[in-house]
Amino acid sequence: MSASTVSASAPETKPLTVVGGGLVGSLLALYLAQQGHTVDVYERRPDPRRSGNVEGRSINLALSDRGWRALRGVGIEEAVREVAIPLYRRVMHDQRGQLTMQPYGHDGQAIYSVSRAGLNQRLLDLVDREPRVKVLFDQQCRRVDLRNRTLEMFDGAAETSHVIPYQHLFGTDGAYSSVRAAMQKTDRFNYSQHYLNYGYKELTIAAGDAGSWAIEKNTLHIWPRGQYMMIALPNLDGSFNCTLFFPYEGPYSFATLQTPEQVRRFFEEVFSDAVPLMPELEQEFFENPTSSLVTVRCYPWSVTDEVLLLGDASHAIVPFYGQGMNAGFEDCTILQQLMESHGSDWLAIFQEFQQQRKPNADAMADLAVYNFEEMRDRVADPRFLLQKKIESKISAQYPQHWLPLYSQVTFSHLPYAEAWANGQAQERIMQRVMPRIQSEADYDLPEVQALIAQELAQRQ
Amino acid sequence: MSASTVSASAPETKPLTVVGGGLVGSLLALYLAQQGHTVDVYERRPDPRRSGNVEGRSINLALSDRGWRALRGVGIEEAVREVAIPLYRRVMHDQRGQLTMQPYGHDGQAIYSVSRAGLNQRLLDLVDREPRVKVLFDQQCRRVDLRNRTLEMFDGAAETSHVIPYQHLFGTDGAYSSVRAAMQKTDRFNYSQHYLNYGYKELTIAAGDAGSWAIEKNTLHIWPRGQYMMIALPNLDGSFNCTLFFPYEGPYSFATLQTPEQVRRFFEEVFSDAVPLMPELEQEFFENPTSSLVTVRCYPWSVTDEVLLLGDASHAIVPFYGQGMNAGFEDCTILQQLMESHGSDWLAIFQEFQQQRKPNADAMADLAVYNFEEMRDRVADPRFLLQKKIESKISAQYPQHWLPLYSQVTFSHLPYAEAWANGQAQERIMQRVMPRIQSEADYDLPEVQALIAQELAQRQ
C-alpha cells in the first residue's frame, strides 16, 4: 500500500509537527502518539528540567474535572494527583481579617492547586517515555509559511536559523502564538485581542514553622475589595502563591503605588491579616513584573488539513474561573474523540473540532470575565453568599434539574456554552426567588417552595 | 534657541514621517505642511502617475460633506469637484426592472462619485506643488522598531532594504497597516479584525452611445435582493462601476456560481434590467477578484508622542455608508484643530485625538454594517420608503429638532457617535408613529400631528 492510498485510520508516515511544548502541547503530543502517530514538538524555551532556573516565578493553576479527564485519557491522572493540593472551598478575608466561606461543591468535590512549572516538567517526563514523541527545545518559531508548509526555526543554542517542512501542524504556542500570527495575515481570519484594565502581581505568603501552612491549607483564599482583589493558592512546601489583581490606573492602582512605604501602608490598610505573613512584600512588589490580562478570540482555528490551533493559541482567557488550562486540556479530549471517529482524515477532524469547540471557547471567555466580578466584588456581599446557600438547597432538592453554574463549569463535562446558558437561566430564577428570602430557613416556607417548584416546572 | 527648548508652536526641525501615501496619507501631508512642518511620505506602491497601469481596476468612492470640508481646509475642494459626479438620490431596481427612488437629502444635497485612482493622483499632484513634502514611492515598510524609532524599508526598485530613523510617525497605511502591526505586539493593545460573510465583485455597465449614460446618471443605483445586492456608481466616461455584494457560501453565493452559464442565468433572473448593459459580465466575473469586507478596530491609536494611526489603519470599515474615506479625511480636520491648539506638543495632540475620535470611529463602524442591511433589504420595502417620506416631512416641519440619520452622517459634521445615538432615538419614535400611517397623506391627520408633537416634546 503506497503512502498516497494509505487508509484513513492508519497513522501518518511522516511525523506530525507541534509548535509549543507547554502544558497543552505536551499533553497533545501524548494523545497523538496514542493514536500511533510520530510527533515532533518544537519548544521555544530551553528544557526547563535542565536549565538553571528550574522553577522561575512559580505560578499555580487550578486543575478541575475537565483537566483530570484529559490527563486520565493518557493514563497520567494519578501521577499528577500526587503533587496537587485539593481546595474544597473559598475563604473570603474581609478588611478586618474576618472570614466567611463558600464550599465549591459537595461531598469532597474540589479544585486542585498545582504548580505550572511542576506540572509541565511532569508532562515532559512522561513525553520522554513515549518513543513516538521527540521534543526539541530552544527552537523559536520565527515564521510559518502557510501553503508551502514550512517553518523557519531559530535555534537558540546554536544561534542559527533553519527551515523545517511540515505536513500537519498543531499550534499550541499560547496566547501570543506565532502560528496564529501567520493565520492572521490570511484573508477572512477573524481575530481579536482584548485586555482588561487590570494587571496582576505575584506575591508570596511564607511557609509557617516546619513547612506548615500559615492560613488554612485546602482552600482558595480571596481578599475581595470591590474594584480589586488578592487571592492565594497553597504550595506543597507550606507557602502560598498570592496574586494581586489591581487596576493599572485610578485612585487605587499600580500607578499610585510607587514607593515601598506606599505599598506597605496600602496593604496594611486593606489586606491587614495577610501582611504579617508576607515578609518580602515590598521587594516582591517592585521586583516582580506587572502582567497584563488578555482575552484572545479568533476564527477559523484551522487551515485546510494543514494547521490546527489548540489551547491559548486559539482561545486565551483571563484566569478568574481557573479554566484556561482545563479548557486547553479538554481540547485534547475532544480532538481524541474526533481522531477515533475520523482516523487520519485531518480535514474532517480540524473542521469538526473548530465548529464544535468555538462556541464553547467563546462562552468560557465570557464566563472568565464574569467570574472576576464575582470574586473581587460579589463574594463580599452577605446576600450573594445567602443566594449561593439557597442555590445549594435547590440543587440538593432537585438534583436532576439544578446544578449550580460553578459546578457545571468545574465539576462536569457539559459543553461550556450549555453551562453558561443554563447558568444564566438559573440566575434569572434566583432573581425572582431571592426577594422572598431573608435567611436560610426561609427556603422551607411554603410560598418559596411553591415558587421554586413552579419555576422549575416552567423550565422543563 | 536649541532644539530641546523649541517652543511648542514652532514647526519641527526634523521632517515628520508618514507611512502610506494613499488618500488619507497625501491629504495629511498637506495638512502637516500647512502647519509649517516638513514631511517625508513613504508609499509602498510605485508612483501611480508613472507606472503603466495608471488606473488599474477603477473603484468609485462617495465623497460627502465631511470629505469636502477636509479638502477645503487645504484649498483643494474645487480642484476635486471638477472630476466628481453628484448623486442626488438612490434608485432601486426591482427584479422586473421597475424603479423606485429615494432622495438623499433636500435642495440639491448630494453625495459625489469620484474615482479612487483619479482622486489619489490629483492629491499627489497637489502634494508635488508643496515644497515641504517629499513623497518616496516603491518603499515598503517591512518593520517598525518602536522605542528605537526606526523603520526598515524595502526599496522595490533597487531591491534593497534600508533603515530610516523617525521622530514622529503617522501611520496612514490602510486596513492592513504595518505600523499598526508593530503596535499590536506591544502590551495592552486592543485589536480586532472582523470579516463579513460577504465578498464583493467589481463589474461594469458599459457607456451608452457617444459616452452617454445608459441608466440615470446622477443617481446611486441599487438592486436590493434581501440577502445580497448590486450597486452602480457613474463614471465621467458614461460607464458605471457596479459592485455585487454577495455571500461567500450558501444557496445564492460565490460558491454556487462556478461557470459562465450559471453566472448569466443567475444575473438574468435577478438583475434582469442590468444584464443587457453588461457586455463583459462573465469575463469580469471570473477575472476580477472576489474581495473581502473587513472591520478593524483598535486602541490605543498612538504610542506616546511617537506614533499616531489615522484613517483605515485605525478604523477600517465596510463600504456601505460611503464614509470610509470621509472618516479618514475628517481625521485630518480634527488633527488640524488639535495642532492649532497644541502646536507641536505631539503627546497632547495624539492623546486628545484618539480620545475624541475613537468613539466616533466605533459608531461609524456600526453604522456601516447597519446600512448594509438597509441597502440590500429594507430599501425594497414600500413601508420603509413610506417611513422615509414621513421622516422627511417631520424634518421639514421641525427642522431644528429632526435631521434624518442619513443626513446627520452624510450632510453634517456632527460627531458620528452623536449622529448614531440621535438616529436610534428617532427610529424608536418612528416605530411608534408608523402604525398610524397608511399613506403620505396620513401625516396630516390630527392624531398623527399630535403624536409627533408629543414625542418631540418628550425628547427635549
Side-chain angles (χ1 to χ4, degrees):
Chain A
M1 194 161 66
S2 77
S4 61
T5 60
V6 74
S7 93
S9 61
E12 294 290 326
T13 49
K14 290 182 188 169
L16 301 172
T17 304
V18 174
V19 169
L23 298 172
V24 175
S26 25
L27 184 62
L28 173 68
L30 292 170
Y31 269 100
L32 296 173
Q34 198 178 58
Q35 295 291 314
H37 304 299
T38 55
V39 186
D40 290 343
V41 180
Y42 295 90
E43 167 54 37
R44 186 173 51 83
R45 290 159 301 187
D47 189 337
R49 297 161 301 181
R50 288 181 205 169
S51 51
N53 53 343
V54 177
E55 281 283 336
R57 212 156 32 89
S58 172
I59 292 176
N60 284 25
L61 299 167
L63 247 173
S64 54
D65 285 29
R66 295 168 202 264
W68 288 118
R69 178 170 69 157
L71 294 173
R72 196 179 313 134
V74 285
I76 58 178
E77 181 185 12
E78 288 317 312
V80 175
R81 217 175 278 269
E82 285 165 18
V83 291
I85 302 175
L87 313 178
Y88 300 103
R89 55 188 191 171
R90 293 171 172 167
V91 165
M92 277 66 75
H93 298 238
D94 79 7
Q95 212 135 331
R96 289 164 305 138
Q98 302 289 313
L99 307 184
T100 50
M101 54 199 58
Q102 184 198 342
Y104 276 127
H106 55 78
D107 300 340
Q109 282 183 322
I111 61 175
Y112 289 78
S113 174
V114 292
S115 142
R116 166 190 273 273
L119 180 55
N120 201 6
Q121 290 174 33
R122 192 155 282 242
L123 281 168
L124 289 172
D125 288 343
L126 293 162
V127 165
D128 278 348
R129 288 194 229 143
E130 171 53 64
R132 291 197 186 87
V133 181
K134 192 167 63 183
V135 185
L136 299 101
F137 290 98
D138 229 344
Q139 302 291 319
Q140 186 190 353
C141 177
R142 288 255 169 112
R143 219 171 78 88
V144 181
D145 185 345
L146 299 172
R147 312 304 174 199
N148 286 321
R149 301 195 185 210
T150 58
L151 298 172
E152 185 184 322
M153 284 290 175
F154 179 77
D155 183 316
E159 297 198 341
T160 54
S161 286
H162 47 124
V163 171
I164 298 163
Y166 64 82
Q167 196 57 35
H168 305 289
L169 176 65
F170 297 84
T172 51
D173 50 346
Y176 300 96
S177 169
S178 57
V179 179
R180 189 189 65 226
M183 290 167 69
Q184 197 196 313
K185 289 176 189 159
T186 62
D187 197 24
R188 296 174 64 203
F189 184 74
N190 291 317
Y191 174 74
S192 79
Q193 58 185 41
H194 183 264
Y195 288 84
L196 293 187
N197 293 324
Y198 286 77
Y200 68 90
K201 181 81 76 178
E202 302 280 343
L203 303 165
T204 310
I205 285 180
D209 292 335
S212 66
W213 288 266
I215 52 178
E216 189 182 315
K217 175 190 175 189
N218 292 112
T219 296
L220 189 142
H221 295 268
I222 311 183
W223 290 257
R225 295 295 179 264
Q227 288 307 301
Y228 56 93
M229 69 170 175
M230 185 166 75
I231 66 169
L233 282 86
N235 295 315
L236 291 169
D237 67 0
S239 66
F240 286 79
N241 288 335
C242 302
T243 313
L244 172 69
F245 296 97
F246 205 44
Y248 277 100
E249 313 283 342
Y252 297 97
S253 70
F254 285 113
T256 60
L257 296 188
Q258 292 293 334
T259 67
E261 294 69 33
Q262 287 170 335
V263 169
R264 175 152 293 273
R265 206 178 319 129
F266 175 74
F267 271 71
E268 282 176 347
E269 188 188 324
V270 301
F271 304 128
S272 57
D273 62 335
V275 172
L277 312 174
M278 304 172 80
E280 301 186 27
L281 172 62
E282 294 95 325
Q283 189 181 344
E284 287 185 326
F285 193 91
F286 291 104
E287 285 184 0
N288 290 348
T290 304
S291 305
S292 56
L293 294 158
V294 73
T295 300
V296 172
R297 300 176 200 251
C298 65
Y299 203 79
W301 290 355
S302 70
V303 178
T304 65
D305 69 343
E306 182 185 341
V307 180
L308 182 66
L309 302 175
L310 298 97
D312 284 358
S314 46
H315 51 76
I317 61 180
V318 293
F320 305 105
Y321 225 114
Q323 285 294 314
M325 170 182 61
N326 289 291
F329 281 6
E330 195 176 54
D331 284 352
C332 297
T333 305
I334 304 295
L335 189 75
Q336 199 260 350
Q337 292 167 355
L338 294 171
M339 291 189 295
E340 294 286 352
S341 309
H342 297 294
S344 295
D345 182 352
W346 296 111
L347 186 62
I349 292 169
F350 292 1
Q351 285 292 326
E352 266 193 54
F353 180 83
Q354 67 184 6
Q355 283 165 20
Q356 186 184 142
R357 201 72 184 131
K358 168 68 172 166
N360 295 319
D362 282 342
M364 194 55 245
D366 292 340
L367 280 161
V369 172
Y370 164 86
N371 216 42
F372 183 29
E373 287 159 38
E374 175 164 323
M375 291 175 78
R376 72 170 200 251
D377 196 1
R378 289 194 290 271
V379 293
D381 174 0
R383 286 289 299 172
F384 174 84
L385 297 178
L386 178 59
Q387 178 176 328
K388 290 291 166 190
K389 284 183 186 150
I390 298 298
E391 246 201 286
S392 296
K393 287 173 180 283
I394 300 175
S395 184
Q397 188 178 352
Y398 299 99
Q400 302 303 312
H401 302 298
W402 193 290
L403 189 60
L405 172 59
Y406 188 87
S407 297
Q408 293 184 52
V409 171
T410 308
F411 304 125
S412 94
H413 303 296
L414 213 62
Y416 288 126
E418 284 178 39
W420 189 207
N422 292 341
Q424 288 170 307
Q426 289 175 180
E427 177 62 26
R428 285 191 292 272
I429 294 177
M430 294 310 294
Q431 292 303 319
R432 292 190 288 267
V433 170
M434 286 305 289
R436 319 281 181 99
I437 303 267
Q438 299 309 319
S439 72
E440 268 189 86
D442 289 349
Y443 180 72
D444 298 316
L445 292 173
E447 63 164 281
V448 169
Q449 284 289 313
L451 175 60
I452 291 167
Q454 181 198 333
E455 292 281 358
L456 289 178
Q458 284 174 359
R459 235 184 120 189
Q460 305 306 313
Chain B
M1 192 161 69
S2 78
S4 62
T5 60
V6 73
S7 94
S9 61
E12 294 290 326
T13 49
K14 290 181 186 170
L16 302 172
T17 304
V18 175
V19 169
L23 297 172
V24 175
S26 23
L27 184 63
L28 173 67
L30 292 171
Y31 269 99
L32 296 173
Q34 198 178 60
Q35 295 291 316
H37 304 300
T38 55
V39 187
D40 290 342
V41 181
Y42 295 88
E43 166 55 37
R44 187 173 51 83
R45 290 159 300 185
D47 188 337
R49 297 161 302 180
R50 286 181 207 168
S51 51
N53 54 344
V54 177
E55 280 284 336
R57 212 155 34 85
S58 172
I59 292 176
N60 284 27
L61 300 167
L63 247 173
S64 54
D65 285 27
R66 294 169 203 264
W68 288 119
R69 179 169 68 157
L71 295 174
R72 197 178 313 135
V74 284
I76 60 177
E77 180 184 14
E78 289 315 313
V80 175
R81 219 177 272 271
E82 285 164 18
V83 293
I85 301 176
L87 313 178
Y88 298 103
R89 55 189 190 170
R90 294 172 171 166
V91 165
M92 277 66 77
H93 298 239
D94 79 7
Q95 212 135 332
R96 292 165 302 140
Q98 302 288 314
L99 307 185
T100 49
M101 56 199 57
Q102 184 197 341
Y104 275 127
H106 56 76
D107 300 340
Q109 280 182 324
I111 61 174
Y112 288 78
S113 174
V114 293
S115 143
R116 167 191 271 273
L119 180 56
N120 201 5
Q121 289 173 33
R122 192 156 283 243
L123 282 167
L124 289 172
D125 288 343
L126 292 163
V127 165
D128 278 349
R129 288 193 227 142
E130 170 54 64
R132 290 198 186 87
V133 181
K134 191 165 63 181
V135 186
L136 300 101
F137 291 98
D138 230 344
Q139 301 292 318
Q140 187 190 352
C141 176
R142 288 255 170 111
R143 219 171 79 88
V144 180
D145 186 345
L146 299 171
R147 312 303 172 201
N148 286 320
R149 301 196 185 209
T150 58
L151 299 172
E152 186 185 322
M153 284 289 175
F154 179 77
D155 184 315
E159 297 198 342
T160 53
S161 286
H162 48 123
V163 171
I164 298 163
Y166 64 82
Q167 197 56 34
H168 306 288
L169 176 65
F170 298 83
T172 51
D173 50 347
Y176 301 96
S177 169
S178 58
V179 178
R180 188 189 66 226
M183 290 166 70
Q184 198 196 311
K185 290 176 189 157
T186 62
D187 197 25
R188 295 173 66 204
F189 184 75
N190 291 317
Y191 174 74
S192 79
Q193 58 185 41
H194 183 264
Y195 288 85
L196 294 187
N197 292 325
Y198 286 77
Y200 68 90
K201 180 82 76 177
E202 302 279 341
L203 303 166
T204 309
I205 285 180
D209 293 334
S212 65
W213 287 267
I215 51 177
E216 188 181 317
K217 175 189 174 188
N218 292 111
T219 297
L220 188 143
H221 294 269
I222 311 184
W223 289 259
R225 295 294 179 267
Q227 289 306 303
Y228 55 93
M229 70 170 174
M230 185 167 75
I231 66 169
L233 282 86
N235 294 315
L236 291 170
D237 68 0
S239 66
F240 285 79
N241 288 335
C242 303
T243 312
L244 172 69
F245 295 97
F246 206 43
Y248 278 100
E249 313 283 342
Y252 298 97
S253 70
F254 285 113
T256 61
L257 296 187
Q258 292 293 334
T259 67
E261 294 70 33
Q262 286 169 336
V263 169
R264 175 152 293 271
R265 205 178 319 128
F266 175 74
F267 271 71
E268 281 176 348
E269 190 188 324
V270 302
F271 304 128
S272 58
D273 61 336
V275 173
L277 312 174
M278 304 173 79
E280 300 185 29
L281 171 62
E282 295 95 324
Q283 190 182 343
E284 287 185 327
F285 193 91
F286 290 104
E287 284 184 1
N288 290 347
T290 304
S291 305
S292 56
L293 294 158
V294 72
T295 300
V296 171
R297 299 175 200 251
C298 65
Y299 204 78
W301 292 354
S302 70
V303 178
T304 65
D305 69 343
E306 181 185 342
V307 180
L308 181 67
L309 302 175
L310 298 97
D312 284 359
S314 46
H315 51 74
I317 61 178
V318 293
F320 305 107
Y321 225 115
Q323 286 293 316
M325 169 183 62
N326 290 292
F329 281 6
E330 195 176 55
D331 284 351
C332 295
T333 305
I334 304 296
L335 189 75
Q336 198 259 352
Q337 292 165 356
L338 294 170
M339 290 190 294
E340 294 287 352
S341 309
H342 297 296
S344 295
D345 183 351
W346 297 110
L347 185 62
I349 292 170
F350 291 2
Q351 286 291 325
E352 268 195 51
F353 180 84
Q354 67 183 6
Q355 283 164 19
Q356 186 183 142
R357 202 70 185 133
K358 168 69 171 164
N360 295 319
D362 282 342
M364 193 56 244
D366 292 340
L367 280 161
V369 171
Y370 165 86
N371 216 42
F372 184 29
E373 287 158 38
E374 175 164 323
M375 290 176 77
R376 72 171 199 251
D377 197 0
R378 289 195 290 271
V379 293
D381 175 0
R383 286 289 298 173
F384 175 83
L385 297 178
L386 178 60
Q387 179 177 325
K388 289 291 166 190
K389 282 183 186 151
I390 299 298
E391 247 201 285
S392 295
K393 285 172 181 286
I394 300 175
S395 185
Q397 188 177 351
Y398 300 99
Q400 301 303 311
H401 302 298
W402 192 291
L403 191 59
L405 173 58
Y406 188 87
S407 297
Q408 293 184 53
V409 171
T410 308
F411 305 125
S412 93
H413 303 296
L414 214 62
Y416 288 126
E418 284 180 39
W420 190 207
N422 292 341
Q424 289 170 306
Q426 290 175 180
E427 177 61 26
R428 286 191 292 272
I429 294 177
M430 292 311 292
Q431 292 302 319
R432 292 190 288 267
V433 169
M434 287 305 289
R436 319 281 181 100
I437 303 268
Q438 298 310 318
S439 71
E440 269 190 83
D442 289 352
Y443 180 72
D444 297 318
L445 292 172
E447 65 165 279
V448 170
Q449 284 288 315
L451 176 59
I452 290 167
Q454 181 198 332
E455 291 282 358
L456 289 178
Q458 283 174 359
R459 235 184 122 190
Q460 304 306 316

